[in-house]
Amino acid sequence: THGKVADVFEITVNNASQLTLALKNVAYREIYRALDEARCFNFKMLDGALVTLRYVFKAGNITEHTLNYFPSPDLEQFQNEPDLYAEDEVYADIVARNIVPFPVRFDFCSDETKFVEMDHPYSHLSLGQYKHCRIPVSAPLGPITFGGFILRSFYHTAFRKYADKIPRAVSCFKDTITVGERGIPHIMLGGH
């Protein structure tokens, strides 16, 4: 309706149902291939990494998000023609042969029935496909914060070269981390 916030509003990718494959006991290479073939991503990085963003809002408040980084399981295209990329420092981080690609996921869910302090924080980071890897995060992440994290962490040379052009992330969501979760290793977002 005009002038009124929709009760439930979701921002996601086409074929979002394919994302559930990433939670199943399937080889990472197959997960990546299926997501790529279904074009289930918001954008694809130059090295083939897939990035997906999903946000759900209810009555104007964030209730869920799933933010994924799926690196290409192999860098064959870059390794077959290393001279094209090795000379450009922007690609230095993605052509090294000792890179082990693993997915990164930031989740947030405001549902109190799913929350278990320290075991299933409201907002958390999962590394790889480890089922119980849930590192507490102080609050949900906005898209600029997530994008900056990916660029800074996995494309450091490119990030440094273009950092002045990337807007500074300002947290726009309230803290969800508990006192107990602050007592174990966790991620604190800027401004919190």
Side-chain angles (χ1 to χ4, degrees):
T1 60
H2 183 66
K4 184 179 174 187
V5 176
D7 188 41
V8 176
F9 180 73
E10 183 172 352
I11 301 167
T12 191
V13 297
N14 288 335
N15 304 319
S17 62
Q18 292 288 320
L19 284 171
T20 60
L21 176 66
L23 301 174
K24 296 186 177 172
N25 188 15
V26 177
Y28 178 65
R29 188 174 299 276
E30 291 303 310
I31 293 169
Y32 175 89
R33 185 188 55 72
L35 295 174
D36 190 30
E37 286 177 3
R39 301 200 49 80
C40 185
F41 53 86
N42 293 87
F43 50 93
K44 190 173 190 176
M45 304 295 279
L46 289 173
D47 62 342
L50 308 177
V51 177
T52 65
L53 306 154
R54 177 181 170 268
Y55 288 91
V56 179
F57 296 88
K58 186 171 186 176
N61 296 309
I62 188 167
T63 59
E64 291 179 52
H65 78 44
T66 303
L67 312 171
N68 293 290
Y69 170 72
F70 296 102
S72 176
D74 63 72
L75 298 174
E76 194 173 316
Q77 60 184 328
F78 295 93
Q79 291 171 351
N80 286 343
E81 299 182 54
D83 295 338
L84 293 175
Y85 302 98
E87 292 178 16
D88 190 339
E89 65 184 34
V90 171
Y91 297 102
D93 296 333
I94 61 175
V95 296
R97 294 188 187 275
N98 63 341
I99 299 291
V100 177
F102 63 93
V104 173
R105 188 178 76 242
F106 283 92
D107 287 314
F108 169 73
C109 182
S110 64
D111 185 344
E112 293 178 6
T113 64
K114 294 180 179 178
F115 168 76
V116 178
E117 187 177 39
M118 292 187 263
D119 288 336
H120 198 277
Y122 286 112
S123 187
H124 59 271
L125 165 65
S126 297
L127 301 173
Q129 296 296 94
Y130 293 96
K131 184 176 180 180
H132 299 289
C133 176
R134 296 186 187 105
I135 302 163
V137 178
S138 62
L141 279 74
I144 292 174
T145 302
F146 177 64
F149 172 82
I150 295 301
L151 292 174
R152 186 178 300 103
S153 302
F154 301 103
Y155 303 89
H156 184 71
T157 306
F159 178 81
R160 282 189 21 227
K161 187 169 184 173
Y162 298 108
D164 293 347
K165 297 176 178 118
I166 300 171
R168 286 221 71 86
V170 176
S171 183
C172 50
F173 302 116
K174 293 179 184 177
D175 274 358
T176 58
I177 194 166
T178 65
V179 172
E181 291 165 350
R182 287 180 193 268
I184 62 173
H186 63 279
I187 295 179
M188 244 1 230
L189 299 180
H192 288 273

